[in-house]
């Protein structure tokens, strides 16, 4: 990520939070009014909590927005260059002011580790360009951490990207072939790398869901980190 | 939209979200389909190899090109892209802030110049809802003022 977060002044943050709340009031009124006219009846609308990594501002923004008739709520303005722990702390703090009975969406996040950490803090939805963009740059995700496919060590490696992965790419192609396609800048590489990385991300979410359903999320989390130390 | 919590484990939640177009089991990761395609893949690849129940499209990009009026005419996002499951669209504010030039924010909205042809545009809370009505996303996002967390988001290349 290259987004640079510059510390905004307190005053500027305060006025921006107020503006976000005013816009949110205007938005929900307009959206519900349109629905009464028959427009967007099957559509849903989420508001976005702002406030940087400041607890006071996050609480204010969350409290004001969550009082409105939205279908779900997002936490925005994170993953913009702040330290990981600051992101986790902000999410942990902010979710307590968000309703239980509506979806919680953390925008623009993140690495596999970020997903695990924020699910454990009560987030339901994520999006990020990381799996797709990294695939195109040659960075592939595995159960054992990231792999850079262009490395010399994969020149004649017959193994799959991730021996634990069940995606079509890992079932079919060797690291050696993928490395070759990447180095040759073949269009096919972009497709295969993207399929693998997205499969990995969606599979990780499935594993987390199963762990939650079976009441063993903390165990899952420990195993997730243990495997990444093996490499 | 129907929402139900299936199970909680500590603070972690497994939920089910039902939209008009799909049933989404959470926690969920939404692949980013910036301009109406997940880069390098098409709807068939997605359906065959990844099977996401929800993907994201960027309002800013669809508005700038091909235009939300075009998307609306072509059957909205689902008809245009042929991806039949749910779409979430962002408000476009983030890209207006980060991608375009000459960004100005006032009480009414955000003024910016298109990164494609430099043309001037003005996003207001109502305007981005109108655009997202045209896009037909299952979940839309409201316009927010991002300047509290990112004074300068210009170097982001989403």
């Amino acid at each position: 990520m290259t987004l640079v977060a510059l510390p905004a002044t307190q005053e500027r943050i305060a006025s921006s939070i107020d503006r976000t709340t005013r816009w949110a009031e205007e938005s929900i009124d307009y959206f519900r009014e349109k629905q009464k006219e028959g427009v967007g009846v099957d559509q849903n609308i989420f508001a976005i909590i702002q406030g940087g990594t400041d607890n006071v501002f996050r609480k204010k923004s969350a409290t004001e927005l969550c009082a409105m008739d939205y279908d779900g709520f997002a936490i925005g303005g994170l993953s913009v260059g702040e330290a990981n722990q600051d992101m986790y702390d902000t999410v942990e703090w902010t979710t307590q002011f968000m309703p239980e009975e509506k979806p919680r969406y953390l925008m623009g996040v993140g690495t596999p580790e970020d997903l695990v950490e924020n699910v454990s803090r009560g987030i339901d939805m994520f999006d990020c360009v990381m799996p797709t963009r990294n695939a195109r740059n040659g960075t592939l995700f595995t159960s054992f951490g990231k792999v850079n496919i262009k490395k010399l060590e994969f020149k004649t490696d017959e193994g799959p990207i991730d021996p634990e992965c069940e995606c079509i790419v890992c079932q079919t192609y060797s690291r050696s072939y993928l490395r070759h396609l990447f180095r040759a800048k073949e269009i096919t590489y972009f497709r295969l790398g993207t399929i693998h990385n997205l499969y990995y991300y969606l599979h990780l979410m499935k594993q987390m869901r199963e762990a939650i359903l079976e009441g063993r999320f903390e165990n899952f989390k420990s195993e997730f980190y243990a495997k990444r130390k093996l490499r | 939209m129907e929402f139900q919590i299936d199970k909680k484990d500590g603070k972690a939640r497994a939920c089910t979200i039902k939209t008009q177009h799909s049933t989404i089991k959470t926690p969920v990761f939404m692949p980013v389909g910036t301009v109406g395609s997940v880069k390098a893949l098409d709807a068939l690849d997605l359906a065959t190899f990844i099977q996401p129940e929800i993907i994201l499209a960027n309002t800013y990009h669809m508005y700038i090109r091909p235009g939300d009026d075009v998307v609306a005419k072509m059957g909205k996002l689902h008809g245009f892209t042929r991806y039949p499951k749910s779409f979430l669209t962002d408000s476009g504010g983030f890209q207006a802030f980060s991608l375009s030039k000459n960004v100005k924010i006032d009480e009414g909205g955000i003024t910016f110049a298109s990164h494609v042809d430099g043309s001037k545009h003005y996003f207001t809370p109502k305007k981005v809802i109108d655009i997202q009505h045209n896009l037909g996303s299952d979940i839309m996002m409201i316009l927010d003022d991002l300047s509290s967390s990112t004074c300068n988001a210009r170097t982001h290349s989403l």
Side-chain angles (χ1 to χ4, degrees):
Chain A
M1 287 307 230
T2 51
L3 188 122
V4 180
L6 296 181
T9 66
Q10 294 294 98
E11 203 174 309
R12 184 161 175 191
I13 298 176
S15 83
S16 135
I17 299 276
D18 289 342
R19 182 177 285 143
T20 292
T21 296
R22 282 196 298 274
W23 285 359
E25 281 164 354
E26 189 183 338
S27 299
I28 195 65
D29 289 348
Y30 184 66
F31 180 78
R32 296 297 175 208
E33 186 186 305
K34 280 285 173 184
Q35 282 192 321
K36 277 180 205 151
E37 294 168 17
V39 178
V41 177
D42 294 329
Q43 291 182 277
N44 302 281
I45 190 164
F46 284 18
I48 307 168
I49 299 163
Q50 288 291 346
T53 53
D54 185 299
N55 281 356
V56 175
F57 287 130
R58 282 285 171 185
K59 181 181 178 180
K60 183 176 193 290
S61 183
T63 309
E64 290 173 358
L65 297 178
C66 294
M68 299 180 206
D69 179 28
Y70 279 95
D71 299 298
F73 296 94
I75 300 178
L78 288 178
S79 198
V80 291
E82 77 281 1
N84 285 345
Q85 195 57 49
D86 289 346
M87 181 215 293
Y88 305 154
D89 291 346
T90 301
V91 168
E92 176 118 39
W93 169 259
T94 307
T95 47
Q96 66 179 310
F97 307 109
M98 298 167 76
E100 275 279 314
E101 68 286 356
K102 287 182 179 176
R104 302 165 174 175
Y105 165 29
L106 180 57
M107 303 182 81
V109 174
T111 63
E113 290 81 358
D114 289 340
L115 300 181
V116 172
E117 290 300 329
N118 288 300
V119 165
S120 81
R121 287 165 172 80
I123 297 296
D124 307 312
M125 305 166 70
F126 301 86
D127 81 284
C128 191
V129 295
M130 186 168 280
T132 40
R133 180 183 293 165
N134 279 15
R136 301 194 300 276
N137 295 336
T139 301
L140 302 174
F141 292 94
T142 82
S143 321
F144 305 95
K146 285 188 282 188
V147 164
N148 194 327
I149 199 63
K150 73 177 173 218
K151 279 192 175 170
L152 183 62
E153 64 182 280
F154 302 133
K155 190 171 182 181
T156 57
D157 190 332
E158 290 175 0
I161 302 164
D162 179 353
E164 292 194 356
C165 179
E166 290 175 0
C167 86
I168 190 73
V169 181
C170 286
Q171 297 303 307
T172 314
Y173 301 108
S174 65
R175 289 170 171 170
S176 170
Y177 183 56
L178 292 166
R179 174 178 184 268
H180 157 68
L181 293 180
F182 178 78
R183 284 162 45 88
K185 298 186 168 61
E186 277 293 304
I187 292 170
T188 299
Y189 167 78
F190 292 101
R191 176 165 170 271
L192 298 179
T194 302
I195 289 174
H196 168 78
N197 271 1
L198 280 181
Y199 187 97
Y200 173 83
Y201 263 63
L202 266 70
H203 185 67
L204 175 62
M205 305 314 281
K206 263 185 213 158
Q207 288 177 308
M208 284 197 272
R209 178 175 169 86
E210 279 165 24
I212 295 165
L213 291 175
E214 290 166 13
R216 52 174 178 82
F217 187 76
E218 278 310 308
N219 278 352
F220 169 82
K221 200 172 156 184
S222 311
E223 282 167 24
F224 169 84
Y225 280 113
K227 271 190 195 167
R228 299 173 110 71
K229 284 184 187 139
L230 291 177
R231 271 191 95 241
Chain B
M1 185 169 87
E2 289 172 37
F3 177 78
Q4 114 185 6
I5 300 175
D6 302 318
K7 181 90 194 285
K8 280 190 73 181
D9 184 7
K11 285 186 180 172
R13 298 141 54 103
C15 312
T16 302
I17 302 168
K18 258 188 206 168
T19 71
Q20 191 67 12
H21 291 97
S22 65
T23 299
I24 302 152
K25 301 282 186 188
T26 80
V28 66
F29 180 85
M30 303 179 281
V32 178
T34 309
V35 302
S37 101
V38 174
K39 285 191 195 300
L41 306 184
D42 71 345
L44 292 176
D45 284 335
L46 284 178
T48 309
F49 303 119
I50 316 290
Q51 294 158 357
E53 293 296 330
I54 181 167
I55 65 173
L56 190 143
N58 288 122
T59 291
Y60 170 93
H61 288 287
M62 301 311 286
Y63 163 80
I64 293 286
R65 184 175 54 196
D68 50 296
D69 53 332
V70 172
V71 177
K73 201 172 283 176
M74 300 308 293
K76 305 192 174 184
L77 280 173
H78 301 88
F80 189 46
T81 69
R82 299 288 159 155
Y83 197 70
K85 303 296 182 78
S86 297
F87 273 91
L88 182 146
T89 47
D90 62 2
S91 69
F94 185 83
Q95 277 80 21
F97 261 94
S98 59
L99 274 187
S100 58
K101 289 173 186 151
N102 304 320
V103 184
K104 274 186 201 125
I105 186 157
D106 61 45
E107 199 35 52
I110 304 169
T111 309
F112 60 94
S114 155
H115 76 292
V116 174
D117 63 6
S119 55
K120 272 208 166 173
H121 301 270
Y122 189 46
F123 273 173
T124 67
K126 285 179 184 165
K127 170 87 178 174
V128 301
I129 290 175
D130 287 338
I131 297 171
Q132 293 177 91
H133 278 145
N134 273 342
L135 298 179
S137 45
D138 298 274
I139 299 174
M140 63 169 81
M141 306 298 299
I142 61 165
L143 191 68
D144 59 339
D145 180 354
L146 299 150
S147 55
S148 68
S149 47
T150 54
C151 273
N152 185 348
R154 215 58 63 75
T155 61
H156 200 279
S157 52
L158 237 187

